[in-house]
Amino acid sequence: MPPDYTQRLVVLAHPQAGRGQVGRHLPSVLEALGPADPLLLPATTRADALRVVAAAVAADARGVIAVGGDGTAHLALQAVAGTPVPLGLVPLGTGNDLADAVGVPKDPAASARAILADLASGRTTTIDAVRIERDEPSPGAESWYAAILSVGFDSAVNARANRMRWPRGPRRYDLAILAELARLRTYRLTLRLDDTTTVETPALLAAIGNTRSYGGGMRMCPAADPTDGLLDVTVVEPVSRLELIRVKPRLYSGTHVDHPAVRTYRAARIHADAPGAAVFADGEPAGALPLALTAVRGAVRLLGATGQPSS
């Protein structure tokens, strides 16, 4: 008989996430959440996670707690977005950009205490999420993201790193960056903004953000606000390899938007296409372009968050 998730606080965790941090901290997180009687979901694969979280939300769970990084939060988001079931974040991944953007305490125990406090008071904080729709709808074609959808160079690096089996850890991404720099591609990007403005330009990459950062703190969309009902777009037009390397460090302060090759836009609904470009949302593969992206106001209710960036 399947578990009864009705009014249970359920926890989604991948023990290997965050280079094993989740596995090391999970017992203490569950202990900290103990007064709320948390139930650890039985999920060992991505498909398992999507299935069991959806079942818990459909059964009116009290809340879903994602223990890990942006990837774990992204999985939970697919079930909770657009529902009254709240989402709590315990940041233990290699990248915790969503948690940082919405004011979740960086310490796992502190984030668990903040979740418990909100449960006790009945308080939640609402943020927007982005609905992804495909030009040719099919079962399961609609999905969601909460941070940034990336197109082009950065996504190509992510895709290459995911295919690599050696080396492990951050070094793999360094090598993936070098490989993609060696074959640096320019894409023909087309953006239709709110069905009123069309942007057509060659581009190395584009980021469409509900929040400001990805990749562990790179502020690709530094002015993005997950409560304004709008998406912030940052486009990097073609530059040399050397110039791209020079601009990259400026992502951490957000000053790259002042570079002459960078363009920014803002809209509530965006239709995006760039033939041949890789696409990732919240650091996870997002299929293929073209895609229609809509900022849905108040689509997610958060536990243990302030709604404002932590730093």
Side-chain angles (χ1 to χ4, degrees), residues 129-144:
V130 187
R131 185 171 59 232
I132 304 174
E133 298 168 287
R134 314 202 179 275
D135 276 5
E136 298 180 1
S138 61
E142 180 181 291
S143 58
W144 297 84

Side-chain angles (χ1 to χ4, degrees), residues 18-41:
R19 304 185 195 124
Q21 280 197 98
V22 172
R24 291 191 295 272
H25 288 275
L26 185 57
S28 61
V29 169
L30 292 174
E31 182 179 1
L33 292 171
D37 190 25
L39 175 65
L40 183 63
L41 292 172

Side-chain angles (χ1 to χ4, degrees), residues 185-191 199-206 235-239 261-263 265 273-274:
R185 293 184 58 183
T186 296
Y187 303 93
R188 189 68 197 175
L189 176 70
T190 302
L191 300 172
V199 176
E200 294 182 340
T201 184
L204 296 179
L205 64 94
V235 176
V236 179
E237 295 179 346
V239 295
V262 175
R263 302 284 181 267
Y265 309 93
D273 196 10

Side-chain angles (χ1 to χ4, degrees), residues 5 10 12 41-43 45-58 79:
Y5 297 119
V10 300
L12 177 66
L41 292 172
T45 66
R46 176 184 172 86
D48 285 343
L50 289 169
R51 177 180 52 79
V52 295
V53 176
V57 170

